[in-house]
Amino acid sequence: MVSTRKVRMPVWDAPFTLRSKLTLFVVSVILLAATLVGWMGYLFARQTLREQIEQRLRIVAADRRDMLLTYVQQQHERVGLVASRTQLRRIAGQLQSGEPGDPPPDADQLRADAEDILRDARNSTSGFLDIALFDETGNLLAATHADAF
């Protein structure tokens, strides 16, 4: 006798049915769409964040530049106030009038007078630690700091 019993194939070896194929296709399309939407969202967020960071850095840099320029302008004004003292300019001219390496005979007295004027200017203007007076060649003529010479 011959047996007519059907042999069942394991599920993993069974060919896919139309229903399982459609389910797999729909899930694949949904996953692909979700991945693309997520990726596009990431790119958009990254670009927006970069633009905002760059804009903030530009604003901070412009602000710092303006603060620095204001500080430099204030220093120029303060130095201008010191340099505009007529007596100090007269003393500086007398200290420079001699030959290089040959100071005028009263150079020590002129230097002391210039230092008094510089100390007065330092004390009357906030923000100066020390003030020094140089000639055009860079030689020190007078200074408020005693160790400058």
Side-chain angles (χ1 to χ4, degrees), residues 16-31:
F16 287 110
T17 63
L18 181 60
R19 183 181 208 174
S20 61
K21 288 180 183 177
L22 284 174
T23 304
L24 184 62
F25 175 73
V26 170
V27 168
S28 299
V29 169
I30 290 173
L31 285 176

Side-chain angles (χ1 to χ4, degrees), residues 11-78:
V11 173
W12 54 87
D13 289 338
F16 287 110
T17 63
L18 181 60
R19 183 181 208 174
S20 61
K21 288 180 183 177
L22 284 174
T23 304
L24 184 62
F25 175 73
V26 170
V27 168
S28 299
V29 169
I30 290 173
L31 285 176
L32 179 65
T35 302
L36 287 175
V37 168
W39 182 253
M40 295 301 289
Y42 165 75
L43 292 177
F44 177 75
R46 185 180 74 171
Q47 182 64 26
T48 303
L49 188 61
R50 279 186 181 201
E51 289 172 359
Q52 288 179 356
I53 290 171
E54 287 176 7
Q55 181 183 18
R56 288 181 184 181
L57 287 175
R58 274 190 234 105
I59 289 170
V60 168
D63 186 44
R64 296 293 189 255
R65 182 195 66 221
D66 292 344
M67 288 173 54
L68 182 62
L69 290 175
T70 301
Y71 175 77
V72 169
Q73 183 180 7
Q74 288 174 346
Q75 296 307 311
H76 280 283
E77 291 171 1
R78 288 177 178 169

Side-chain angles (χ1 to χ4, degrees), residues 131-147:
I131 302 175
L133 179 65
F134 294 91
D135 63 9
E136 293 89 10
T137 60
N139 295 321
L140 181 64
L141 299 177
T144 56
H145 191 338
D147 296 335

Side-chain angles (χ1 to χ4, degrees), residues 94-104 111 135-137 139 141:
Q94 289 176 349
L95 284 170
Q96 294 177 26
S97 65
E99 293 292 318
D102 184 27
R111 224 176 242 113
D135 63 9
E136 293 89 10
T137 60
N139 295 321
L141 299 177

